Amino acid sequence: DPDPAVVRAHLVAEFADRRGAHLHVEDQRKLSGYRMTHGWAKDRAVYFVMEFSQPFDHVDVNVDGKVVRAGQTPMEGVKIRAAVSCGPLPKNTALLKVGISGTSVENARKNLAAEIPDFDFDGVCESAAAAWNQALGSIEADIPDTDTRKTFYTGMYHGLSSPTTYSDVDGTYRGQDR
C-alpha cells in the first residue's frame, strides 16, 4: 500500500493565444515565458516566471498539438501546454509562486522576488488579508439596509480588484502605445 502521507504533485499550465506564446524551462524549479493577449490593450504580452518549492521530475510539453522534449531551449507556438510532475512528496509540501510583468521576463522575476520572496503560504494569505482589510476599511459607509451595504462593499471590492496601474516594482510599464 502506498503511504497516504506521500503524494505526487502535478500541474498543467496552458499558454495560448493566436498571436503566440513562449515557454522556457529554466531549471528543475523554474518556468518562464510570455503569452500574447489583446484584452484592454492591443497586442500586449503578459510575461511570467513560475517557481516551484520542490524540484520537478519532468515537464511534458505540447506545442501546437505536437509533443516536444522540454529542455533548456525555449519553445514557441500558438498553444503551449506544460504538465509538470513532482514527487513523491509529503502531502501539502508542493508550493508554486508566480510573478508577472507587462514588460519582460526579467521584470516578472523582480516582481516575484519583491512580492513573494519566500514559500510562505500562510504569510502570503495573512498579507493579502491585511491589504484587503486596509483597502476595504478605508471607507466606512453608514448604510442601515443589509442588502444595500453588501452591494456597496461588493462594488468597492470589484473596483479595487482590478487596478488600472500595471507597472513593475521598479516603476517600468508598457503603455498602450508600446
Side-chain angles (χ1 to χ4, degrees):
D1 286 338
D3 184 349
V6 177
V7 297
R8 293 195 63 79
H10 305 282
L11 170 79
V12 175
E14 184 171 289
F15 312 98
D17 189 273
R18 67 180 180 266
R19 284 165 298 285
H22 174 103
L23 178 67
H24 182 198
V25 179
E26 293 186 13
D27 58 34
Q28 291 303 110
R29 289 181 187 250
K30 289 187 196 108
L31 304 175
S32 63
Y34 64 83
R35 175 187 169 268
M36 297 302 294
T37 186
H38 68 285
W40 53 267
K42 184 180 177 183
D43 292 328
R44 69 183 170 90
V46 177
Y47 298 90
F48 65 89
V49 172
M50 301 171 73
E51 188 175 342
F52 294 78
S53 62
Q54 304 290 338
F56 38 82
D57 299 330
H58 64 278
V59 181
D60 296 319
V61 181
N62 185 302
V63 178
D64 298 335
K66 296 181 179 124
V67 175
V68 297
R69 180 169 162 72
Q72 299 298 312
T73 305
M75 294 155 275
E76 293 189 28
V78 172
K79 185 175 185 179
I80 300 175
R81 182 177 291 141
V84 180
S85 298
C86 303
L89 304 167
K91 267 189 178 178
N92 301 322
T93 60
L95 298 174
L96 169 69
K97 55 184 186 172
V98 180
I100 63 169
S101 168
T103 60
S104 69
V105 167
E106 195 50 45
N107 278 354
R109 193 179 319 284
K110 289 178 188 176
N111 293 340
L112 180 59
E115 295 169 2
I116 312 174
D118 301 309
F119 287 101
D120 178 6
F121 185 82
D122 292 334
V124 169
C125 290
E126 289 169 14
S127 177
W132 274 112
N133 285 336
Q134 181 179 358
L136 293 172
S138 65
I139 294 177
E140 188 172 325
D142 186 15
I143 304 170
D145 179 62
T146 302
D147 290 340
T148 304
R149 187 172 53 253
K150 285 180 183 177
T151 300
F152 173 81
Y153 281 108
T154 299
M156 187 174 167
Y157 165 79
H158 285 231
L160 294 168
S161 66
S162 297
T164 56
T165 303
Y166 185 47
S167 60
D168 297 325
V169 294
D170 64 2
T172 305
Y173 69 95
R174 185 176 321 262
Q176 292 185 22
D177 61 356
R178 295 185 168 252

